[in-house]
Amino acid sequence: MQIVHTIADLREKLSGFKRPAFVPTMGNLHDGHIALVKQAKPLGDVTVSSIFVNRLQFAPHEDFDSYPRTLDADAQRLEAAGCDLVFAPREKDLYPEPQSYKVHPANDLADILEGHFRPGFFIGVSTVVMKLFSCVFAGMPTGVAAFGKKDYQQVMVVRRMVQQFALPIEILAGETQRAEDGLALSSRNGYLSPAERAEAAQLSVALKALGIAAKAAQPAELPALEAQAMQALARRGWKPDYLTVRRRADLQPPHGALADQSLVVLGAAKLGHTRLIDNLEI
Ligand code: PAF
């Protein structure tokens, strides 16, 4: 496995390949990232992962500075998973000048849920993903890029971007990997104190309970069920941003008989200083 830092070196190493399998990450890798690499690998002729903590998707009060940077450990895990090439640009390599051209995803998808609580987040994500795609896939006839379903809305934003810009890239959505108690794996779990870690699985428990209740409910009853689910978490010491049942197709609130629809329950809540997100397809 080779590690490159510049766009020019990346493109040189990729010349001769025709279908990269690409897993973009911000590093501090866990089993969820590794599962994505293993899933993507057989779908391409070269496996590439990027490690870049993207300032554009962090608000000034968020954890950009403290986000764990663990390149050596990440590289070892990627090599063991069969990755061929790691692209780990420094900020000046990816953004040699301020990134003043940005991708603005459609408001109906990008300004709700995560986009509502983290304004500009999906502009930052879409912009860096478009740029990374351009670094990895320019000149390639096709390619595949893998994203984890834990970031459900992110996968949808990226899928729509690929469709809207007619990029010849297949998007693979990998299942969320969980700890034994149900906590979705996330780089941010490392921020949790032991007591918070013991509590953290309650987010997935709450999503599951809301999903079960929703399936037996009428659409008009959903707001009350969602409010109850948030209150229950708040009583345990969480600060929930949202727990909500949405249509999988567009993340809008469902209408009509809920039992017949493809739905997803999504949640985001703060435990201490750590904001966790999770979701469950029902
Ligand atoms: O999901 C992430 O780790 C990031 O949002 C991504 C897709 C690597 C873009 O920075």
Side-chain angles (χ1 to χ4, degrees), residues 4-109:
V4 293
H5 299 287
T6 67
I7 299 173
D9 285 347
L10 173 73
R11 288 191 171 144
E12 194 208 308
K13 299 286 180 217
L14 286 175
S15 69
F17 292 103
K18 290 195 162 52
R19 185 174 158 84
F22 177 44
V23 182
T25 82
M26 296 205 300
N28 196 234
L29 303 183
H30 51 68
D31 288 352
H33 296 110
I34 298 306
L36 287 179
V37 171
K38 290 183 176 164
Q39 255 182 288
K41 189 175 169 65
L43 306 177
D45 58 359
V46 59
T47 309
V48 188
S49 184
S50 63
I51 295 177
F52 181 68
V53 184
N54 173 40
R55 187 188 293 275
L56 293 188
Q57 69 192 71
F58 289 79
H61 65 277
E62 291 181 343
D63 55 340
F64 174 78
D65 288 327
S66 56
Y67 200 88
R69 283 139 172 105
T70 52
L71 180 59
D72 292 344
D74 292 344
Q76 278 179 23
R77 295 207 67 181
L78 287 171
E79 182 157 33
C83 183
D84 301 305
L85 190 56
V86 175
F87 179 42
R90 292 149 296 213
E91 206 160 17
K92 67 178 167 56
D93 296 313
L94 206 61
Y95 300 132
E97 55 190 47
Q99 184 71 25
S100 51
Y101 280 44
K102 295 191 178 149
V103 178
H104 286 248
N107 299 350
D108 61 338
L109 182 59

Side-chain angles (χ1 to χ4, degrees), residues 24-26 33 52 54 57 121 125 128-129 132 147 151 154:
T25 82
M26 296 205 300
H33 296 110
F52 181 68
N54 173 40
Q57 69 192 71
F121 172 69
V125 167
V128 78
V129 169
L132 290 168
F147 295 82
D151 298 295
Q154 170 173 278

Side-chain angles (χ1 to χ4, degrees), residues 84-193:
D84 301 305
L85 190 56
V86 175
F87 179 42
R90 292 149 296 213
E91 206 160 17
K92 67 178 167 56
D93 296 313
L94 206 61
Y95 300 132
E97 55 190 47
Q99 184 71 25
S100 51
Y101 280 44
K102 295 191 178 149
V103 178
H104 286 248
N107 299 350
D108 61 338
L109 182 59
D111 288 358
I112 59 172
L113 306 173
E114 282 306 283
H116 175 76
F117 287 95
R118 303 182 69 190
F121 172 69
F122 286 116
I123 296 175
V125 167
S126 305
T127 302
V128 78
V129 169
M130 183 62 115
K131 193 151 190 177
L132 290 168
F133 281 0
S134 144
C135 296
V136 172
F137 296 114
M140 300 286 173
T142 63
V144 53
F147 295 82
K149 275 197 199 175
K150 188 186 78 76
D151 298 295
Y152 203 86
Q153 196 176 358
Q154 170 173 278
V155 178
M156 293 182 68
V157 167
V158 171
R159 265 195 208 286
R160 240 214 251 175
M161 180 179 83
V162 162
Q163 182 199 343
Q164 287 257 318
F165 289 105
L167 304 177
I169 302 166
E170 185 190 323
I171 300 298
L172 172 77
E175 292 304 324
T176 301
Q177 305 292 310
R178 296 182 181 277
E180 261 180 28
D181 63 356
L183 174 66
L185 297 191
S186 161
S187 301
R188 289 191 170 99
N189 293 350
Y191 296 153
L192 299 168
S193 70

